[in-house]
Amino acid sequence: MTRLAKILQNKWWVLAIATFSCLLWGSAFPVLKISYEELQMAPDDTMAKIVFAGMRFLLAGLMILIPMFLINRKALFVQRKHISVLVWLGIIQTALQYYFFYNGLANVSGMQGSILTSSGTFFAVILAHFYYKNDRLSWKKLFGLIAGFAGIVVANWGQDFQLSFYWMGEGFMILSGVTSAVATIMAKELAAGIHPFALTGWQLTIGAVLMLLVGVPQLGENAMTFTPFGWGLLIYSAFLSAAAFALWYSLLKYNKAGEISIYKFMTPVFGALLSALFIPGESLNIYIVLAIVLVSAGIIAINYRGRTPEAAVKPLKAG
């Protein structure tokens, strides 16, 4: 066993790396909300957000692909049969998912967004039930789903005890979760044999290019006003995606998926806390705290494996 493998299997290093990855993902919510203000993007300017997302993910993809080209060039190249897989993942997991994510986040608070985006975890569990014969819903998973979706509902309760729902806000964030779940099943089914870093780098780059091809020709004049701080936010948002995915996939390579996925509950926690800390006008309230508890409990319940060995989930279609 190599020294790297030993480090990535040490429980304390696993905890530290998983926590740091979730911290990076959680920081995306306040960073993007602040970016909208700093770049003076109008809340309803869809093309500006598509272009900004395209710039971010193109930079993130290159941050992964260029080091791979220098260090492990062979793993970077994929078979011809995988090209269509990467294109479809680029369309669904990057372009479509983040079209909904970026435009939805503009119309909800950073705290709400961090909780709503967790819906992808729960939708993935539902899709797996219908797609895999040996990944059916159990009472434990059902409890996790109920707790998770209850948390999403609670996150949208206002101070007047009325449930608020805006299609271009909460609706888009939930659709982002749905597309994320679909892409998760697709990647598991179709991307076997592709190095995880290459998979991430290529699908980010392909999706980003598609977003730029759609957005740049329709971008209005002065739709974005870049400042030194704005450029810094863009570079950091690209870095957090590249670094978090690279660290997470490294953990998945040397550990059981269920043991690593359980740490995902920290992402909405960090997202809500950092949004309350850095976004003007946002502060934690009883609804957000309760939503965090419910969503976290749901993610833990779904992923907890106890002391029993984790069975490999083979792609057996239902029916």
Side-chain angles (χ1 to χ4, degrees), residues 121-122 125-126 136-152 290-304:
T121 299
F122 307 118
V125 172
I126 295 172
R136 302 296 197 188
L137 285 175
S138 62
W139 286 109
K140 177 170 61 70
K141 290 181 179 179
L142 187 59
F143 168 79
L145 290 174
I146 293 172
F149 284 117
I152 290 170
L290 181 56
I292 290 173
V293 171
L294 288 169
V295 168
S296 299
I299 294 173
I300 291 172
I302 286 170
N303 290 288
Y304 184 67

Short mmCIF file of all heavy atoms in Angstrom, two decimals, residues 121-122 125-126 136-152 290-304:
data_model
loop_
_atom_site.label_atom_id
_atom_site.label_comp_id
_atom_site.label_asym_id
_atom_site.label_seq_id
_atom_site.Cartn_x
_atom_site.Cartn_y
_atom_site.Cartn_z
N THR A 121 -29.48 14.58 -3.49
CA THR A 121 -29.18 13.34 -2.77
C THR A 121 -30.42 12.48 -2.65
O THR A 121 -30.37 11.25 -2.86
CB THR A 121 -28.62 13.66 -1.36
OG1 THR A 121 -27.43 14.41 -1.49
CG2 THR A 121 -28.34 12.38 -0.58
N PHE A 122 -31.54 13.09 -2.32
CA PHE A 122 -32.78 12.35 -2.09
C PHE A 122 -33.39 11.86 -3.40
O PHE A 122 -33.92 10.74 -3.48
CB PHE A 122 -33.76 13.21 -1.30
CG PHE A 122 -33.15 13.77 -0.04
CD1 PHE A 122 -33.03 15.14 0.16
CD2 PHE A 122 -32.68 12.92 0.95
CE1 PHE A 122 -32.46 15.64 1.31
CE2 PHE A 122 -32.11 13.42 2.11
CZ PHE A 122 -32.00 14.78 2.29
N VAL A 125 -31.63 8.71 -4.55
CA VAL A 125 -32.08 7.51 -3.84
C VAL A 125 -33.37 6.97 -4.46
O VAL A 125 -33.53 5.77 -4.64
CB VAL A 125 -32.30 7.81 -2.33
CG1 VAL A 125 -32.96 6.64 -1.62
CG2 VAL A 125 -30.97 8.15 -1.68
N ILE A 126 -34.28 7.87 -4.82
CA ILE A 126 -35.54 7.46 -5.43
C ILE A 126 -35.30 6.84 -6.80
O ILE A 126 -35.85 5.78 -7.15
CB ILE A 126 -36.50 8.67 -5.54
CG1 ILE A 126 -36.89 9.16 -4.14
CG2 ILE A 126 -37.75 8.30 -6.34
CD1 ILE A 126 -37.67 10.46 -4.15
N ARG A 136 -32.98 -1.06 -3.42
CA ARG A 136 -34.36 -0.65 -3.17
C ARG A 136 -34.47 0.23 -1.92
O ARG A 136 -33.58 0.28 -1.08
CB ARG A 136 -35.23 -1.89 -2.96
CG ARG A 136 -35.24 -2.87 -4.13
CD ARG A 136 -35.84 -2.26 -5.37
NE ARG A 136 -36.21 -3.28 -6.35
CZ ARG A 136 -36.61 -3.02 -7.57
NH1 ARG A 136 -36.70 -1.78 -7.98
NH2 ARG A 136 -36.92 -4.00 -8.41
N LEU A 137 -35.61 0.90 -1.84
CA LEU A 137 -35.90 1.70 -0.65
C LEU A 137 -36.08 0.79 0.56
O LEU A 137 -36.70 -0.26 0.47
CB LEU A 137 -37.17 2.52 -0.85
CG LEU A 137 -37.07 3.75 -1.76
CD1 LEU A 137 -38.45 4.38 -1.94
CD2 LEU A 137 -36.10 4.78 -1.19
N SER A 138 -35.51 1.19 1.67
CA SER A 138 -35.69 0.49 2.94
C SER A 138 -36.36 1.46 3.91
O SER A 138 -36.54 2.64 3.60
CB SER A 138 -34.33 0.04 3.50
OG SER A 138 -33.52 1.18 3.76
N TRP A 139 -36.72 0.94 5.09
CA TRP A 139 -37.32 1.84 6.08
C TRP A 139 -36.35 2.94 6.47
O TRP A 139 -36.75 4.07 6.72
CB TRP A 139 -37.76 1.04 7.32
CG TRP A 139 -39.00 0.23 7.07
CD1 TRP A 139 -39.10 -1.13 6.96
CD2 TRP A 139 -40.33 0.74 6.89
NE1 TRP A 139 -40.40 -1.50 6.72
CE2 TRP A 139 -41.19 -0.38 6.67
CE3 TRP A 139 -40.88 2.02 6.87
CZ2 TRP A 139 -42.54 -0.23 6.45
CZ3 TRP A 139 -42.25 2.16 6.64
CH2 TRP A 139 -43.07 1.04 6.44
N LYS A 140 -35.07 2.61 6.54
CA LYS A 140 -34.05 3.60 6.89
C LYS A 140 -33.96 4.69 5.82
O LYS A 140 -33.92 5.89 6.13
CB LYS A 140 -32.70 2.89 7.04
CG LYS A 140 -31.53 3.80 7.34
CD LYS A 140 -30.31 3.00 7.72
CE LYS A 140 -29.86 2.07 6.62
NZ LYS A 140 -29.29 2.80 5.47
N LYS A 141 -33.97 4.27 4.56
CA LYS A 141 -33.93 5.24 3.47
C LYS A 141 -35.22 6.06 3.42
O LYS A 141 -35.19 7.26 3.13
CB LYS A 141 -33.69 4.54 2.14
CG LYS A 141 -32.29 3.96 1.99
CD LYS A 141 -32.13 3.30 0.64
CE LYS A 141 -30.73 2.73 0.46
NZ LYS A 141 -30.56 2.07 -0.85
N LEU A 142 -36.34 5.40 3.68
CA LEU A 142 -37.62 6.11 3.66
C LEU A 142 -37.66 7.18 4.74
O LEU A 142 -38.12 8.31 4.50
CB LEU A 142 -38.77 5.12 3.86
CG LEU A 142 -40.18 5.69 3.71
CD1 LEU A 142 -40.38 6.27 2.31
CD2 LEU A 142 -41.23 4.61 3.99
N PHE A 143 -37.13 6.84 5.92
CA PHE A 143 -37.04 7.85 6.98
C PHE A 143 -36.16 9.01 6.54
O PHE A 143 -36.47 10.18 6.76
CB PHE A 143 -36.45 7.22 8.26
CG PHE A 143 -36.05 8.24 9.29
CD1 PHE A 143 -37.00 8.83 10.11
CD2 PHE A 143 -34.71 8.62 9.43
CE1 PHE A 143 -36.62 9.79 11.05
CE2 PHE A 143 -34.33 9.57 10.36
CZ PHE A 143 -35.30 10.15 11.18
N GLY A 144 -35.03 8.67 5.89
CA GLY A 144 -34.13 9.71 5.41
C GLY A 144 -34.79 10.63 4.39
O GLY A 144 -34.61 11.85 4.43
N LEU A 145 -35.57 10.04 3.47
CA LEU A 145 -36.28 10.84 2.47
C LEU A 145 -37.31 11.76 3.12
O LEU A 145 -37.42 12.94 2.76
CB LEU A 145 -36.96 9.93 1.46
CG LEU A 145 -36.04 9.16 0.50
CD1 LEU A 145 -36.85 8.18 -0.34
CD2 LEU A 145 -35.27 10.13 -0.39
N ILE A 146 -38.08 11.22 4.06
CA ILE A 146 -39.11 12.03 4.73
C ILE A 146 -38.46 13.19 5.49
O ILE A 146 -38.91 14.34 5.40
CB ILE A 146 -39.95 11.15 5.68
CG1 ILE A 146 -40.78 10.15 4.87
CG2 ILE A 146 -40.86 12.02 6.55
CD1 ILE A 146 -41.49 9.11 5.73
N ALA A 147 -37.38 12.87 6.23
CA ALA A 147 -36.69 13.92 6.98
C ALA A 147 -36.09 14.96 6.04
O ALA A 147 -36.19 16.17 6.29
CB ALA A 147 -35.59 13.29 7.85
N GLY A 148 -35.47 14.50 4.95
CA GLY A 148 -34.83 15.42 4.03
C GLY A 148 -35.81 16.35 3.34
O GLY A 148 -35.62 17.57 3.31
N PHE A 149 -36.89 15.80 2.80
CA PHE A 149 -37.87 16.64 2.12
C PHE A 149 -38.63 17.53 3.12
O PHE A 149 -39.04 18.64 2.77
CB PHE A 149 -38.83 15.79 1.30
CG PHE A 149 -38.24 15.28 0.02
CD1 PHE A 149 -38.07 13.92 -0.21
CD2 PHE A 149 -37.81 16.16 -0.97
CE1 PHE A 149 -37.50 13.44 -1.38
CE2 PHE A 149 -37.25 15.70 -2.15
CZ PHE A 149 -37.09 14.34 -2.35
N ALA A 150 -38.81 17.05 4.35
CA ALA A 150 -39.41 17.91 5.38
C ALA A 150 -38.51 19.11 5.65
O ALA A 150 -38.99 20.24 5.82
CB ALA A 150 -39.62 17.11 6.67
N GLY A 151 -37.19 18.88 5.66
CA GLY A 151 -36.26 19.97 5.85
C GLY A 151 -36.33 20.99 4.73
O GLY A 151 -36.25 22.20 4.96
N ILE A 152 -36.50 20.51 3.50
CA ILE A 152 -36.61 21.41 2.36
C ILE A 152 -37.88 22.26 2.45
O ILE A 152 -37.88 23.45 2.14
CB ILE A 152 -36.59 20.59 1.05
CG1 ILE A 152 -35.18 20.01 0.84
CG2 ILE A 152 -37.00 21.44 -0.15
CD1 ILE A 152 -35.09 19.00 -0.27
N LEU A 290 -33.80 24.32 11.89
CA LEU A 290 -34.57 23.07 11.86
C LEU A 290 -34.40 22.37 10.51
O LEU A 290 -34.27 21.14 10.45
CB LEU A 290 -36.05 23.36 12.13
CG LEU A 290 -36.99 22.14 12.14
CD1 LEU A 290 -36.53 21.10 13.15
CD2 LEU A 290 -38.43 22.59 12.43
N ALA A 291 -34.38 23.14 9.42
CA ALA A 291 -34.19 22.56 8.10
C ALA A 291 -32.83 21.89 7.99
O ALA A 291 -32.71 20.79 7.42
CB ALA A 291 -34.33 23.65 7.03
N ILE A 292 -31.79 22.53 8.52
CA ILE A 292 -30.44 21.94 8.50
C ILE A 292 -30.43 20.62 9.25
O ILE A 292 -29.87 19.62 8.79
CB ILE A 292 -29.42 22.91 9.13
CG1 ILE A 292 -29.21 24.13 8.24
CG2 ILE A 292 -28.08 22.21 9.37
CD1 ILE A 292 -28.35 25.20 8.87
N VAL A 293 -31.08 20.59 10.43
CA VAL A 293 -31.12 19.37 11.24
C VAL A 293 -31.83 18.25 10.48
O VAL A 293 -31.35 17.11 10.43
CB VAL A 293 -31.81 19.64 12.59
CG1 VAL A 293 -32.06 18.33 13.34
CG2 VAL A 293 -30.98 20.58 13.44
N LEU A 294 -32.97 18.56 9.87
CA LEU A 294 -33.75 17.55 9.16
C LEU A 294 -33.02 17.03 7.92
O LEU A 294 -32.96 15.82 7.68
CB LEU A 294 -35.12 18.12 8.76
CG LEU A 294 -36.12 18.35 9.90
CD1 LEU A 294 -37.31 19.16 9.41
CD2 LEU A 294 -36.58 17.00 10.47
N VAL A 295 -32.46 17.94 7.13
CA VAL A 295 -31.74 17.53 5.92
C VAL A 295 -30.51 16.71 6.29
O VAL A 295 -30.22 15.68 5.67
CB VAL A 295 -31.36 18.76 5.07
CG1 VAL A 295 -30.36 18.37 3.98
CG2 VAL A 295 -32.60 19.37 4.43
N SER A 296 -29.77 17.15 7.29
CA SER A 296 -28.58 16.41 7.73
C SER A 296 -28.96 15.03 8.23
O SER A 296 -28.29 14.03 7.91
CB SER A 296 -27.85 17.20 8.83
OG SER A 296 -27.41 18.46 8.36
N ALA A 297 -30.03 14.96 9.01
CA ALA A 297 -30.49 13.66 9.52
C ALA A 297 -30.89 12.75 8.36
O ALA A 297 -30.63 11.54 8.38
CB ALA A 297 -31.66 13.85 10.47
N GLY A 298 -31.53 13.32 7.34
CA GLY A 298 -31.94 12.54 6.19
C GLY A 298 -30.75 11.98 5.43
O GLY A 298 -30.74 10.79 5.05
N ILE A 299 -29.73 12.80 5.20
CA ILE A 299 -28.54 12.35 4.47
C ILE A 299 -27.80 11.28 5.25
O ILE A 299 -27.34 10.27 4.70
CB ILE A 299 -27.61 13.55 4.16
CG1 ILE A 299 -28.31 14.51 3.19
CG2 ILE A 299 -26.29 13.07 3.56
CD1 ILE A 299 -27.55 15.80 2.95
N ILE A 300 -27.69 11.46 6.58
CA ILE A 300 -27.01 10.48 7.42
C ILE A 300 -27.77 9.15 7.41
O ILE A 300 -27.19 8.08 7.28
CB ILE A 300 -26.86 11.00 8.86
CG1 ILE A 300 -25.87 12.18 8.89
CG2 ILE A 300 -26.39 9.90 9.81
CD1 ILE A 300 -25.80 12.89 10.22
N ALA A 301 -29.10 9.23 7.55
CA ALA A 301 -29.91 8.00 7.58
C ALA A 301 -29.78 7.22 6.27
O ALA A 301 -29.69 5.99 6.27
CB ALA A 301 -31.38 8.35 7.85
N ILE A 302 -29.78 7.92 5.15
CA ILE A 302 -29.69 7.27 3.84
C ILE A 302 -28.34 6.59 3.64
O ILE A 302 -28.26 5.49 3.08
CB ILE A 302 -29.96 8.29 2.72
CG1 ILE A 302 -31.46 8.63 2.67
CG2 ILE A 302 -29.50 7.76 1.37
CD1 ILE A 302 -31.78 9.79 1.77
N ASN A 303 -27.28 7.23 4.12
CA ASN A 303 -25.93 6.74 3.84
C ASN A 303 -25.33 5.88 4.93
O ASN A 303 -24.30 5.23 4.71
CB ASN A 303 -24.99 7.92 3.57
CG ASN A 303 -25.29 8.61 2.26
OD1 ASN A 303 -25.03 8.09 1.20
ND2 ASN A 303 -25.88 9.79 2.34
N TYR A 304 -25.95 5.84 6.12
CA TYR A 304 -25.35 5.09 7.23
C TYR A 304 -25.38 3.59 6.96
O TYR A 304 -26.40 3.02 6.64
CB TYR A 304 -26.08 5.41 8.53
CG TYR A 304 -25.44 4.75 9.74
CD1 TYR A 304 -24.17 5.14 10.16
CD2 TYR A 304 -26.09 3.74 10.43
CE1 TYR A 304 -23.57 4.54 11.26
CE2 TYR A 304 -25.50 3.13 11.54
CZ TYR A 304 -24.25 3.53 11.94
OH TYR A 304 -23.65 2.93 13.02
#
